[in-house]
Amino acid sequence: MTFSADFTYESRPVRVVLRSGAAVTATPGEAEHLGLRRLLVVCGSRGEAVARAVADALGDACAGLHAEARMHVPVEDADRAVAVARATGADGVVAVGGGSSIGLGKAIALRTGLPLIAVPSTYSGSEMTPVWGLTEGGVKRTGRDPKVQPRSVVYDPELTVSLPVPLTVTSGINALAHAVEALYAPDTSPLIALMAQDGVRAMGEALPLLAARPDDLDARGRALYGAWLCGACLGATTMGLHHKLCHVLGGTFGLPHADTHTVVLPYALAYNAPAVPGALTVLGRALDADDPARALWDLAGRLGAPRSLAELGLKETDLAEAAVQVAGQPYANPRPVTAEGVREVLQAAYEGRRP
Ligand code: NAD
């Protein structure tokens, strides 16, 4: 990418620990570092065993365990979790799990101002952003607030060994999507380009290793390192067409988050490609490929991930409505977003043909 001496970059204070076993061994120290003495641990029902181990490690500093995180943070779940945090007298929150658990932790932080520690178990990247999301009456609202940005992030490769290969792959490609769109965001910068390049390279190298050997702890660590950098790209920039498409497909049509990112990314990148030669150079270097959109499509297929919106259950008759919703809202994108252009991207993603 050619150097642009014209940018603004804000760095937010966050401590990052990446170490095998860190969920249990490092979380108490992170709480202490932040001066926290009564932490509410939140997680989803599937992650309860790990969250309990974290709660046990906190010992007297654990105010309780709330295992009710669900996808997309329904507002009534947030209400209940806030009530539990207040009733237990918590002075901080530890979210253990994927984007859904971290989302519930953020919802508590948003309402109460309590500091949040994140212990991620997927590659979604939410732990590195000040973005929150809440769903009410079937509509997901999102916003940015520095209060919800986790103060400490504890990455533990051991926590991700149980992540099934299909979710490992799609969650990893979800992370790649953050770096891809950060490279052509209106608020990108040379530092973002560095983080995106190394994040994409790390994740791109780790995923094939993990598809072959899901318990490879070195590769798990490398994937988490990639997720960290890609998540930091997401937190520092404004996303474009790809994230808007996925938001509409997930929010209005109920498609699964990481799978949808995986299917859409090659097509959104192919659409923007003519307008973003610098981003393509960085991605080409990181993926060791001449055509990054095709390389991403090939990677997904090689690792057995879904490649079409049809496979994810979208109906062809939904494409027109999705296109109207995506094209109807103004947002930053390097190439003008037309209804016809969006419709073409969606049709190609629906069919799953090589971009
Ligand atoms: P998720 O948290 O819903 O997890 C997906 C599934 O994987 C769940 O069933 C969960 O129980 C299971 N799981 C998680 N970790 C596991 C592990 N280590 N082993 C076995 N199973 C495990 O999904 P996600 O993809 O992590 O996050 C998606 C959500 O996060 C969406 O709601 C999305 O909007 C949000 N998100 C928010 C941001 C942000 O910046 N606010 C960024 C990315 C994603």
PDB file of all heavy atoms in Angstrom, residues 225-243:
ATOM      1  N   TYR A 225      -3.608 -15.008  17.887  1.00  0.00           N
ATOM      2  CA  TYR A 225      -2.814 -13.801  17.596  1.00  0.00           C
ATOM      3  C   TYR A 225      -3.422 -13.079  16.380  1.00  0.00           C
ATOM      4  O   TYR A 225      -3.598 -11.852  16.380  1.00  0.00           O
ATOM      5  CB  TYR A 225      -1.357 -14.214  17.325  1.00  0.00           C
ATOM      6  CG  TYR A 225      -0.503 -13.117  16.735  1.00  0.00           C
ATOM      7  CD1 TYR A 225      -0.114 -12.021  17.497  1.00  0.00           C
ATOM      8  CD2 TYR A 225      -0.108 -13.170  15.389  1.00  0.00           C
ATOM      9  CE1 TYR A 225       0.662 -11.000  16.942  1.00  0.00           C
ATOM     10  CE2 TYR A 225       0.669 -12.160  14.830  1.00  0.00           C
ATOM     11  CZ  TYR A 225       1.039 -11.075  15.614  1.00  0.00           C
ATOM     12  OH  TYR A 225       1.789 -10.072  15.056  1.00  0.00           O
ATOM     13  N   GLY A 226      -3.784 -13.868  15.355  1.00  0.00           N
ATOM     14  CA  GLY A 226      -4.428 -13.281  14.173  1.00  0.00           C
ATOM     15  C   GLY A 226      -5.749 -12.627  14.539  1.00  0.00           C
ATOM     16  O   GLY A 226      -6.071 -11.520  14.090  1.00  0.00           O
ATOM     17  N   ALA A 227      -6.525 -13.305  15.383  1.00  0.00           N
ATOM     18  CA  ALA A 227      -7.834 -12.759  15.793  1.00  0.00           C
ATOM     19  C   ALA A 227      -7.649 -11.440  16.539  1.00  0.00           C
ATOM     20  O   ALA A 227      -8.442 -10.506  16.391  1.00  0.00           O
ATOM     21  CB  ALA A 227      -8.560 -13.780  16.670  1.00  0.00           C
ATOM     22  N   TRP A 228      -6.600 -11.380  17.363  1.00  0.00           N
ATOM     23  CA  TRP A 228      -6.313 -10.146  18.105  1.00  0.00           C
ATOM     24  C   TRP A 228      -6.082  -8.986  17.120  1.00  0.00           C
ATOM     25  O   TRP A 228      -6.712  -7.927  17.208  1.00  0.00           O
ATOM     26  CB  TRP A 228      -5.079 -10.363  19.007  1.00  0.00           C
ATOM     27  CG  TRP A 228      -4.502  -9.118  19.583  1.00  0.00           C
ATOM     28  CD1 TRP A 228      -5.177  -7.987  19.936  1.00  0.00           C
ATOM     29  CD2 TRP A 228      -3.118  -8.868  19.866  1.00  0.00           C
ATOM     30  NE1 TRP A 228      -4.299  -7.045  20.439  1.00  0.00           N
ATOM     31  CE2 TRP A 228      -3.027  -7.568  20.395  1.00  0.00           C
ATOM     32  CE3 TRP A 228      -1.957  -9.631  19.735  1.00  0.00           C
ATOM     33  CZ2 TRP A 228      -1.814  -7.004  20.787  1.00  0.00           C
ATOM     34  CZ3 TRP A 228      -0.754  -9.069  20.138  1.00  0.00           C
ATOM     35  CH2 TRP A 228      -0.694  -7.765  20.659  1.00  0.00           C
ATOM     36  N   LEU A 229      -5.155  -9.215  16.160  1.00  0.00           N
ATOM     37  CA  LEU A 229      -4.819  -8.129  15.230  1.00  0.00           C
ATOM     38  C   LEU A 229      -6.027  -7.759  14.358  1.00  0.00           C
ATOM     39  O   LEU A 229      -6.308  -6.568  14.144  1.00  0.00           O
ATOM     40  CB  LEU A 229      -3.633  -8.537  14.357  1.00  0.00           C
ATOM     41  CG  LEU A 229      -2.310  -8.733  15.087  1.00  0.00           C
ATOM     42  CD1 LEU A 229      -1.195  -9.038  14.095  1.00  0.00           C
ATOM     43  CD2 LEU A 229      -1.945  -7.499  15.905  1.00  0.00           C
ATOM     44  N   CYS A 230      -6.729  -8.762  13.862  1.00  0.00           N
ATOM     45  CA  CYS A 230      -7.899  -8.481  13.005  1.00  0.00           C
ATOM     46  C   CYS A 230      -8.985  -7.777  13.821  1.00  0.00           C
ATOM     47  O   CYS A 230      -9.654  -6.858  13.331  1.00  0.00           O
ATOM     48  CB  CYS A 230      -8.450  -9.768  12.393  1.00  0.00           C
ATOM     49  SG  CYS A 230      -7.304 -10.560  11.223  1.00  0.00           S
ATOM     50  N   GLY A 231      -9.177  -8.180  15.076  1.00  0.00           N
ATOM     51  CA  GLY A 231     -10.171  -7.527  15.945  1.00  0.00           C
ATOM     52  C   GLY A 231      -9.776  -6.088  16.232  1.00  0.00           C
ATOM     53  O   GLY A 231     -10.618  -5.184  16.266  1.00  0.00           O
ATOM     54  N   ALA A 232      -8.466  -5.854  16.404  1.00  0.00           N
ATOM     55  CA  ALA A 232      -7.998  -4.482  16.645  1.00  0.00           C
ATOM     56  C   ALA A 232      -8.260  -3.616  15.414  1.00  0.00           C
ATOM     57  O   ALA A 232      -8.598  -2.432  15.532  1.00  0.00           O
ATOM     58  CB  ALA A 232      -6.513  -4.493  16.991  1.00  0.00           C
ATOM     59  N   CYS A 233      -8.120  -4.201  14.228  1.00  0.00           N
ATOM     60  CA  CYS A 233      -8.456  -3.472  12.987  1.00  0.00           C
ATOM     61  C   CYS A 233      -9.935  -3.092  12.992  1.00  0.00           C
ATOM     62  O   CYS A 233     -10.306  -1.971  12.641  1.00  0.00           O
ATOM     63  CB  CYS A 233      -8.176  -4.351  11.765  1.00  0.00           C
ATOM     64  SG  CYS A 233      -6.425  -4.581  11.414  1.00  0.00           S
ATOM     65  N   LEU A 234     -10.776  -4.038  13.384  1.00  0.00           N
ATOM     66  CA  LEU A 234     -12.228  -3.773  13.444  1.00  0.00           C
ATOM     67  C   LEU A 234     -12.540  -2.643  14.422  1.00  0.00           C
ATOM     68  O   LEU A 234     -13.327  -1.742  14.129  1.00  0.00           O
ATOM     69  CB  LEU A 234     -12.945  -5.061  13.882  1.00  0.00           C
ATOM     70  CG  LEU A 234     -14.436  -4.976  14.218  1.00  0.00           C
ATOM     71  CD1 LEU A 234     -15.259  -4.710  12.964  1.00  0.00           C
ATOM     72  CD2 LEU A 234     -14.917  -6.273  14.879  1.00  0.00           C
ATOM     73  N   GLY A 235     -11.880  -2.703  15.583  1.00  0.00           N
ATOM     74  CA  GLY A 235     -12.174  -1.720  16.629  1.00  0.00           C
ATOM     75  C   GLY A 235     -11.744  -0.305  16.257  1.00  0.00           C
ATOM     76  O   GLY A 235     -12.289   0.665  16.766  1.00  0.00           O
ATOM     77  N   ALA A 236     -10.756  -0.202  15.354  1.00  0.00           N
ATOM     78  CA  ALA A 236     -10.175   1.120  15.070  1.00  0.00           C
ATOM     79  C   ALA A 236     -10.693   1.755  13.794  1.00  0.00           C
ATOM     80  O   ALA A 236     -10.345   2.888  13.492  1.00  0.00           O
ATOM     81  CB  ALA A 236      -8.646   0.989  14.978  1.00  0.00           C
ATOM     82  N   THR A 237     -11.516   1.028  13.021  1.00  0.00           N
ATOM     83  CA  THR A 237     -11.924   1.576  11.717  1.00  0.00           C
ATOM     84  C   THR A 237     -13.430   1.403  11.488  1.00  0.00           C
ATOM     85  O   THR A 237     -14.126   0.775  12.279  1.00  0.00           O
ATOM     86  CB  THR A 237     -11.173   0.870  10.566  1.00  0.00           C
ATOM     87  OG1 THR A 237     -11.474  -0.522  10.625  1.00  0.00           O
ATOM     88  CG2 THR A 237      -9.674   1.082  10.643  1.00  0.00           C
ATOM     89  N   THR A 238     -13.885   1.952  10.375  1.00  0.00           N
ATOM     90  CA  THR A 238     -15.305   1.879  10.006  1.00  0.00           C
ATOM     91  C   THR A 238     -15.470   0.856   8.887  1.00  0.00           C
ATOM     92  O   THR A 238     -14.812   0.959   7.847  1.00  0.00           O
ATOM     93  CB  THR A 238     -15.762   3.261   9.481  1.00  0.00           C
ATOM     94  OG1 THR A 238     -15.356   4.237  10.439  1.00  0.00           O
ATOM     95  CG2 THR A 238     -17.262   3.314   9.294  1.00  0.00           C
ATOM     96  N   MET A 239     -16.305  -0.135   9.123  1.00  0.00           N
ATOM     97  CA  MET A 239     -16.467  -1.220   8.158  1.00  0.00           C
ATOM     98  C   MET A 239     -17.364  -0.792   6.986  1.00  0.00           C
ATOM     99  O   MET A 239     -18.139   0.146   7.094  1.00  0.00           O
ATOM    100  CB  MET A 239     -17.057  -2.442   8.849  1.00  0.00           C
ATOM    101  CG  MET A 239     -16.163  -3.037   9.941  1.00  0.00           C
ATOM    102  SD  MET A 239     -14.691  -3.897   9.313  1.00  0.00           S
ATOM    103  CE  MET A 239     -13.376  -2.761   9.688  1.00  0.00           C
ATOM    104  N   GLY A 240     -17.254  -1.525   5.858  1.00  0.00           N
ATOM    105  CA  GLY A 240     -17.989  -1.164   4.647  1.00  0.00           C
ATOM    106  C   GLY A 240     -18.993  -2.217   4.193  1.00  0.00           C
ATOM    107  O   GLY A 240     -19.641  -2.881   5.012  1.00  0.00           O
ATOM    108  N   LEU A 241     -19.087  -2.364   2.859  1.00  0.00           N
ATOM    109  CA  LEU A 241     -20.132  -3.197   2.235  1.00  0.00           C
ATOM    110  C   LEU A 241     -20.221  -4.607   2.824  1.00  0.00           C
ATOM    111  O   LEU A 241     -21.308  -5.114   3.078  1.00  0.00           O
ATOM    112  CB  LEU A 241     -19.842  -3.294   0.726  1.00  0.00           C
ATOM    113  CG  LEU A 241     -20.736  -4.244  -0.070  1.00  0.00           C
ATOM    114  CD1 LEU A 241     -22.186  -3.753  -0.100  1.00  0.00           C
ATOM    115  CD2 LEU A 241     -20.216  -4.404  -1.508  1.00  0.00           C
ATOM    116  N   HIS A 242     -19.068  -5.240   3.026  1.00  0.00           N
ATOM    117  CA  HIS A 242     -19.103  -6.627   3.497  1.00  0.00           C
ATOM    118  C   HIS A 242     -19.833  -6.753   4.843  1.00  0.00           C
ATOM    119  O   HIS A 242     -20.713  -7.602   5.006  1.00  0.00           O
ATOM    120  CB  HIS A 242     -17.677  -7.192   3.636  1.00  0.00           C
ATOM    121  CG  HIS A 242     -17.662  -8.498   4.348  1.00  0.00           C
ATOM    122  ND1 HIS A 242     -18.003  -9.676   3.735  1.00  0.00           N
ATOM    123  CD2 HIS A 242     -17.423  -8.804   5.652  1.00  0.00           C
ATOM    124  CE1 HIS A 242     -17.950 -10.654   4.627  1.00  0.00           C
ATOM    125  NE2 HIS A 242     -17.593 -10.157   5.790  1.00  0.00           N
ATOM    126  N   HIS A 243     -19.458  -5.902   5.802  1.00  0.00           N
ATOM    127  CA  HIS A 243     -20.090  -6.004   7.119  1.00  0.00           C
ATOM    128  C   HIS A 243     -21.556  -5.604   7.056  1.00  0.00           C
ATOM    129  O   HIS A 243     -22.397  -6.168   7.780  1.00  0.00           O
ATOM    130  CB  HIS A 243     -19.319  -5.176   8.152  1.00  0.00           C
ATOM    131  CG  HIS A 243     -18.089  -5.877   8.663  1.00  0.00           C
ATOM    132  ND1 HIS A 243     -16.958  -6.025   7.891  1.00  0.00           N
ATOM    133  CD2 HIS A 243     -17.823  -6.501   9.848  1.00  0.00           C
ATOM    134  CE1 HIS A 243     -16.046  -6.711   8.576  1.00  0.00           C
ATOM    135  NE2 HIS A 243     -16.545  -7.009   9.775  1.00  0.00           N
TER     136      HIS A 243
END
